[in-house]
Amino acid sequence: EDQVTQSPEALRLQEGESSSLNCSYTVSGLRGLFWYRQDPGKGPEFLFTLYSAGEEKEKERLKATLTKKESFLHITAPKPEDSATYLCAANQAGTALIFGKGTTLSVSS
Amino acid sequence: DAEITQSPRHKITETGRQVTLACHQTWNHNNMFWYRQDLGHGLRLIHYSYGVQDTNKGEVSDGYSVSRSNTEDLPLTLESAASSQTSVYFCASSLDLAKNIQYFGAGTRLSVL
C-alpha cells in the first residue's frame, strides 16, 4: 500500500534549537516529494519539491533532503514564526498527492 | 495576482441537505483537486479534474460529486450531507502533472448537524 508517514507528530523547540522532521514513504512510481507549511486556519503553502535521491533544497532556515526511502526537513536555529504544521506529500505517477499526517512544530522564545 | 479562492469559508448545514462548495482559480491551471482534512487522517483526495469536462474519483469520493464546465471553477457538491462529512475542505490546482506543484485555497470549514 502506498503511504507517507511523518514523525514526530509534534515537536517543541526552543528558539535557536535546531532539529529535523522525518518523512518516510513507500510509493510506487514516485515523481516527486513535496513539503508544505500549514498555519492554523489556512491552506497548505508550498515549500519544496525534491525529485531524486541526494537532492537538497534550502529556503531561509529550512533545508529539505531526499533519500530513496525518506525525506528530512532540517530546521536550523528556528524562530517562533517557524511554528506551523509541516506536511510531506508524495507525487505518485503525476496524479494525486499522497499526504502524511503532518508534524506540528512549536518554537518558543 | 493570480489566486485560488474558496467560498464560503464557513458553512453550517443540516443532515440530508445538498451543499455546494465553490472553488475558483485565476491561474488558468488545467488540474484541480478537492481534499478533505480531518484530525488523524491528514489530507485525503475526494475528486480531481485534468480539464474541462474531465472528472475523476479520489480516495474518499462517496457522497460527493464535481463538475468542470470551465477552466477556472471546480464546485464540490455534497448530494445529501451527512455528519461524517463535517470537515475542512481544501481546493488545489496545478499547472502540469509532470511537476504537479499544487497550490491550495484557504479552505471551507463545513459542519453538518
Side-chain angles (χ1 to χ4, degrees):
Chain A
E1 180 185 356
D2 296 322
Q3 62 181 7
V4 174
T5 303
Q6 294 187 244
S7 62
E9 290 185 12
L11 182 62
R12 293 183 179 273
L13 299 174
Q14 291 289 321
E15 185 172 4
E17 179 186 3
S18 301
S19 187
S20 296
L21 312 183
N22 176 264
C23 171
S24 62
Y25 61 91
T26 53
V27 174
S28 58
L30 183 74
R31 297 288 180 88
L33 193 292
F34 295 73
W35 284 97
Y36 284 83
R37 170 188 171 130
Q38 186 175 22
D39 293 299
K42 296 189 177 181
E45 175 188 352
F46 172 74
L47 292 173
F48 306 107
T49 310
L50 303 165
Y51 292 103
S52 57
E55 188 176 359
E56 300 183 352
K57 288 192 177 173
E58 291 188 59
K59 180 179 180 179
E60 296 181 358
R61 294 175 293 282
L62 302 177
K63 183 169 79 172
T65 62
L66 182 66
T67 71
K68 289 186 177 180
K69 295 183 178 180
E70 296 177 301
S71 178
F72 294 92
L73 185 65
H74 307 278
I75 303 175
T76 302
K79 297 182 177 181
E81 53 261 42
D82 294 322
S83 298
T85 296
Y86 291 87
L87 303 174
C88 173
N91 184 23
Q92 182 183 31
T95 56
L97 295 184
I98 302 172
F99 280 87
K101 295 179 181 179
T103 294
T104 299
L105 174 66
S106 300
V107 182
S108 56
S109 57
Chain B
D1 287 341
E3 59 182 2
I4 182 165
T5 56
Q6 295 184 234
S7 62
R9 292 296 315 278
H10 303 274
K11 174 79 176 177
I12 300 173
T13 191
E14 297 176 344
T15 56
R17 290 190 179 267
Q18 183 181 79
V19 177
T20 297
L21 309 183
C23 176
H24 178 81
Q25 51 96 5
T26 58
W27 283 304
N28 204 34
H29 286 172
N30 283 326
N31 311 309
M32 296 184 72
F33 308 83
W34 274 104
Y35 294 87
R36 61 178 289 174
Q37 188 174 41
D38 306 285
L39 283 174
H41 286 281
L43 283 157
R44 292 181 292 174
L45 184 66
I46 305 171
H47 281 287
Y48 57 102
S49 169
Y50 293 150
V52 176
Q53 303 300 330
D54 176 75
T55 61
N56 305 281
K57 294 182 178 181
E59 177 190 2
V60 290
S61 61
D62 287 347
Y64 303 94
S65 64
V66 293
S67 61
R68 188 91 180 268
S69 59
N70 58 53
T71 300
E72 296 80 17
D73 299 289
L74 186 70
L76 177 71
T77 297
L78 286 67
E79 303 293 344
S80 177
S83 57
S84 60
Q85 294 176 309
T86 293
S87 186
V88 181
Y89 291 86
F90 289 100
C91 179
S93 70
S94 71
L95 176 63
D96 63 81
L97 291 178
K99 293 186 176 181
N100 205 14
I101 298 173
Q102 296 186 15
Y103 297 94
F104 285 79
T108 294
R109 182 174 295 274
L110 176 68
S111 297
V112 183
L113 306 179

